[in-house]
């Protein structure tokens, strides 16, 4: 199942005016937002391969940034094979790498692996990378299909990440 993420107050981490590139992972964060909002993850016939709750979340983030003097652009991924940011192809990563230097801030909506993927693409220290969500555990849920084409998750539980033991015998 997907990774469960909590929102991070991104706006408070940005000092001053500038520009931000929002880089969303369209799987785990989108599922998390849909589950939290108790809305369908996908509505195949009305929004096809977009998650309306996640799209609203991104729009709200952009609005909050704008109110604080930060213009923002979203690095969109339209194809299913591009939904998992941590598993992007080299071509997709190159496209992102070409855009990163144009922004003061880079906001990653995804897990630590997604943030690491973006961090590894930075060629200068001119942009500050901000992780917009933090991992809280794994989501255990049942995927459901409802007519007329809604895909949602039900009976969700967050399974916390196992704590690492400090006294491990090998």
């Amino acid at each position: 199942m997907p990774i469960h993420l909590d929102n991070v107050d991104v706006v408070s981490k940005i000092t001053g005016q500038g520009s931000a590139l929002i880089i969303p992972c369209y799987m785990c964060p989108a599922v998390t937002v849909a589950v939290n909002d108790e809305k369908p993850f996908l509505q195949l016939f009305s929004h096809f391969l977009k998650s309306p709750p996640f799209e609203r979340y991104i729009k709200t983030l952009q609005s909050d940034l704008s109110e604080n003097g930060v213009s923002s652009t979203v690095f969109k991924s339209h194809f299913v094979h591009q939904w998992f940011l941590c598993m992007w192809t080299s071509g997709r990563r190159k496209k992102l790498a070409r855009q990163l230097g144009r922004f003061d801030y880079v906001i990653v909506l995804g897990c630590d692996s997604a943030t690491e993927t973006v961090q590894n693409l930075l060629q200068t220290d001119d942009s500050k990378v901000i992780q917009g969500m933090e991992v809280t555990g794994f989501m255990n849920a049942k995927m459901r299909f409802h007519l007329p084409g809604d895909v949602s998750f039900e009976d969700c539980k967050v399974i916390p990440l196992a704590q690492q033991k400090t006294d491990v015998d090998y």
Side-chain angles (χ1 to χ4, degrees):
M1 287 309 306
I3 295 171
H4 184 270
L5 302 143
D6 274 346
N7 302 334
V8 172
D9 180 11
V10 173
V11 177
S12 69
K13 294 185 175 201
I14 294 177
T15 56
Q17 297 182 343
S19 60
L21 179 62
I22 300 170
I23 308 169
C25 176
Y26 285 92
M27 184 47 70
C28 297
V31 170
T32 298
V33 170
V35 166
N36 289 347
D37 290 356
E38 298 180 356
K39 301 286 184 194
F41 166 60
L42 294 175
Q43 295 174 306
L44 299 175
F45 296 114
S46 60
H47 295 92
F48 192 50
L49 295 178
K50 290 184 180 180
S51 177
F54 193 50
E55 294 295 322
R56 282 190 296 276
Y57 176 84
I58 292 170
K59 292 275 187 223
T60 300
L61 175 58
Q62 286 186 284
S63 176
D64 293 347
L65 290 168
S66 179
E67 288 175 9
N68 285 281
V70 178
S71 63
S72 62
T73 302
V74 178
F75 188 81
K76 295 195 178 266
S77 296
H78 301 288
F79 303 109
V80 174
H81 70 279
Q82 297 172 347
W83 280 6
F84 291 90
L85 194 158
C86 61
M87 295 189 287
W88 278 354
T89 62
S90 60
R92 190 82 185 135
R93 290 173 191 229
K94 286 178 187 174
K95 183 174 182 175
L96 175 59
R98 287 191 298 269
Q99 293 189 23
L100 288 175
R102 299 183 202 160
F103 297 89
D104 302 307
Y105 304 98
V106 176
I107 301 167
V108 181
L109 299 180
C111 68
D112 298 12
S113 180
T115 302
E116 182 71 16
T117 298
V118 172
Q119 188 74 48
N120 288 338
L121 296 174
L122 279 177
Q123 297 173 3
T124 67
D125 291 335
D126 294 341
S127 300
K128 179 181 178 187
V129 177
I130 300 170
Q131 188 164 344
M133 297 180 141
E134 61 185 10
V135 175
T136 59
F138 296 102
M139 205 175 319
N140 184 305
K142 296 175 189 164
M143 186 184 293
R144 295 281 189 231
F145 181 79
H146 301 277
L147 292 176
D150 293 353
V151 177
S152 50
F153 293 87
E154 298 173 356
D155 300 327
C156 297
K157 291 186 272 184
V158 176
I159 310 303
L161 299 173
Q163 298 297 320
Q164 294 181 340
K165 295 182 181 179
T166 55
D167 299 320
V168 178
D169 294 324
Y170 290 100

